[in-house]
């Protein structure tokens, strides 16, 4: 399985500020999914990012609030903009490769965000 | 509307017994289904994948079944150990790119 790292692992931020979360994979992947997990909840998909194209956002999530970059096949960032306490959550990246029947999806360790 | 249901209540079992967790879904036709383990404060860890044309999959003490008629998957841990205590999530592939949609998870507690 791929080795996935996220930075930062955790952060405490003030409302109104923005935080960019980085996700690095040790191999090239076709797609990058970004999820969030609010306290006591399951994972909710924010958006799907392919290299070289605009990210596709799920219902309830918009690009202005969660801009995503995917500059190459091993790296992606998710920015949480103009944060409010409701954005306090764990944010997880999940890379996926389509080649070779690669349906299995692995997850990064997560970024734990607390907004005050 | 689409829905994935897992037992919301925690499952408490005695060490050595078999734990059985349920995942039911409606209004989905998933190409495959995956089970994950999640410990507090950590990302989900992949356990097993089962495709729509497979009835059963095994890996060591784990077994997954997939009944597309009943729209249900069962996840079994045999000879359970306290170290198996965690939250277990089922996830279904959905739509373009087969993105994963997750159930709420079931917390398993194995007591010595």
């Amino acid at each position: 399985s791929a080795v996935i790292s996220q930075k930062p692992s955790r952060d405490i931020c003030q409302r109104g500020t923005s935080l960019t979360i980085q996700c690095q994979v040790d191999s090239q992947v076709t797609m990058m999914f970004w999820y969030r997990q609010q306290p006591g909840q399951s994972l909710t998909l924010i958006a799907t990012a392919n290299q070289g194209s605009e990210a596709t956002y799920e219902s309830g999530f918009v690009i202005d609030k969660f801009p995503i970059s995917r500059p190459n096949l091993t790296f992606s960032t998710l920015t949480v903009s103009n944060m409010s306490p409701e954005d306090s959550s764990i944010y997880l990246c999940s890379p996926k490769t389509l080649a070779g029947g690669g349906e299995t999806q692995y997850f990064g360790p997560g970024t734990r965000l607390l907004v005050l | 509307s689409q829905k994935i249901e897992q037992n919301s209540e925690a499952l408490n079992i005695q060490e050595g017994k078999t734990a059985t967790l349920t995942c039911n879904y409606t209004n989905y036709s998933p190409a495959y289904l995956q089970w994950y383990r999640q410990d507090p404060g950590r990302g989900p860890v992949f356990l097993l994948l089962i495709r729509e044309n497979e009835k059963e999959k095994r890996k060591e003490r784990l077994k997954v079944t997939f009944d597309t008629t009943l729209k249900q998957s069962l996840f079994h841990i045999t000879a359970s150990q306290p170290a198996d205590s965690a939250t277990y999530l089922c996830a279904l592939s959905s739509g373009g790119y087969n993105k994963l949609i997750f159930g709420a998870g079931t917390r398993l507690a194995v007591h010595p």
Side-chain angles (χ1 to χ4, degrees):
Chain A
S1 64
V3 176
I4 308 160
S5 60
Q6 285 186 234
K7 288 182 182 178
S9 59
R10 58 177 61 222
D11 207 342
I12 301 173
C13 301
Q14 297 298 318
R15 77 169 63 213
T17 63
S18 297
L19 176 72
T20 295
I21 300 167
Q22 300 178 4
C23 179
Q24 180 76 52
V25 189
D26 69 342
S27 58
Q28 294 185 340
V29 295
T30 310
M31 290 184 295
M32 187 71 75
F33 297 95
W34 283 95
Y35 288 81
R36 79 172 178 191
Q37 186 173 29
Q38 295 181 302
Q41 305 291 316
S42 189
L43 282 76
T44 301
L45 181 63
I46 298 171
T48 303
N50 289 331
Q51 194 258 344
S53 62
E54 292 284 328
T56 302
Y57 288 81
E58 297 298 306
S59 175
F61 298 96
V62 295
I63 187 171
D64 290 345
K65 175 68 176 177
F66 297 101
I68 289 172
S69 78
R70 184 87 203 275
N72 58 54
L73 292 176
T74 64
F75 186 78
S76 179
T77 67
L78 169 78
T79 298
V80 186
S81 304
N82 188 26
M83 287 184 285
S84 66
E86 292 71 36
D87 294 320
S88 298
S89 187
I90 298 174
Y91 292 86
L92 299 135
C93 65
S94 179
K96 182 172 179 178
T97 299
L98 294 179
E103 304 102 332
T104 303
Q105 222 170 298
Y106 297 95
F107 284 81
T111 295
R112 185 183 291 269
L113 171 62
L114 177 63
V115 184
L116 302 176
Chain B
S1 62
Q2 295 177 322
K3 194 184 292 185
I4 304 170
E5 291 183 342
Q6 293 186 254
N7 290 351
S8 57
E9 294 183 11
L11 179 63
N12 292 282
I13 65 167
Q14 206 68 29
E15 182 176 10
K17 302 290 187 185
T18 296
T20 298
L21 286 70
T22 305
C23 178
N24 294 299
Y25 60 93
T26 55
N27 297 322
Y28 278 106
S29 295
Y32 52 86
L33 183 151
Q34 302 190 39
W35 282 89
Y36 289 82
R37 169 186 173 137
Q38 188 173 29
D39 293 287
R42 305 218 169 184
V45 174
F46 169 76
L47 296 175
L48 280 168
L49 178 151
I50 187 164
R51 295 181 179 84
E52 61 180 337
N53 60 348
E54 297 174 320
K55 297 287 187 190
E56 181 180 297
K57 201 70 123 4
R58 291 175 185 259
K59 179 183 174 184
E60 297 172 353
R61 294 186 295 113
L62 309 180
K63 184 178 85 171
V64 172
T65 64
F66 194 11
D67 188 326
T68 56
T69 302
L70 289 179
K71 295 188 181 296
Q72 180 182 78
S73 175
L74 298 178
F75 177 78
H76 306 271
I77 305 175
T78 58
S80 60
Q81 305 164 2
D84 295 326
S85 299
T87 295
Y88 290 86
L89 305 166
C90 80
L92 277 62
S93 63
S94 176
Y97 303 128
N98 280 323
K99 59 191 177 188
L100 284 183
I101 308 300
F102 281 81
T106 298
R107 193 159 58 85
L108 172 67
V110 182
H111 302 283

